[in-house]
Amino acid sequence: MKISKDTVATFHYRLTADDELLIEDSFKNEPLTYLHGHQNLIIGMENALENKREGDKFSITIPPEEAYGQRIDEMVQLVPITAFDAVDELFEGMRFTATTDAGDVPVVITQIENDQVTVDGNHPLAGQTLNFSVEILSIRPATAEEIEHGHVHGAGGHHH
Ligand code: ZN
């Protein structure tokens, strides 16, 4: 069978960024299982997987617009260090969830200098062109419940 809307596909992937730096390698871990056609993956990847079959291998380069978008300068903010008085330990690279007008946003501290903390709410892969090597392992029809929920259940998916 082919990957199409409302199928569940399992695949391995190796992800590198513009600079060839390895970001993720599922071949060394668990493969990814997802429900196709429900925006569970970046759009460039869903498009590339459409109509692929079990055993297919391919490589694809996905621009930021079809991945995690461009970086947005406004999502980088300087915060006075006193705002973190309640935090025991503060360090560059620290991740936490910030409550903003737009809801909860995962952010990372990119710099601590003097009394100022630079907080970046961009997705870590925003602005990056992504290179994937993919191998399709298996494809099955989704269950009615999975389609209703918009995600995969069981191995590699939601348990509830
Ligand atoms: Zn569910």
Side-chain angles (χ1 to χ4, degrees), residues 2 7 10 13 17 19 23 29 34 61 64 66 78 122 159-160:
K2 292 195 287 191
T7 60
T10 299
Y13 65 98
D19 48 13
I23 297 169
N29 299 295
Y34 80 104
T61 296
E66 294 179 12
L78 273 177
N122 284 290
H159 297 270
H160 58 182

Side-chain angles (χ1 to χ4, degrees), residues 56-86:
D56 279 357
K57 294 179 188 179
F58 66 94
S59 295
I60 182 163
T61 296
I62 301 178
E65 307 80 64
E66 294 179 12
Y68 294 97
Q70 299 291 352
R71 287 183 57 81
I72 300 168
D73 290 342
E74 287 72 25
M75 293 187 76
V76 179
Q77 295 199 328
L78 273 177
V79 181
I81 201 160
T82 50
F84 296 92
D85 278 351

Side-chain angles (χ1 to χ4, degrees), residues 145-146 148-153 158-160:
E145 195 186 42
E146 286 173 327
E148 191 190 324
H149 287 198
H151 56 227
V152 166
H153 292 163
H158 288 243
H159 297 270
H160 58 182

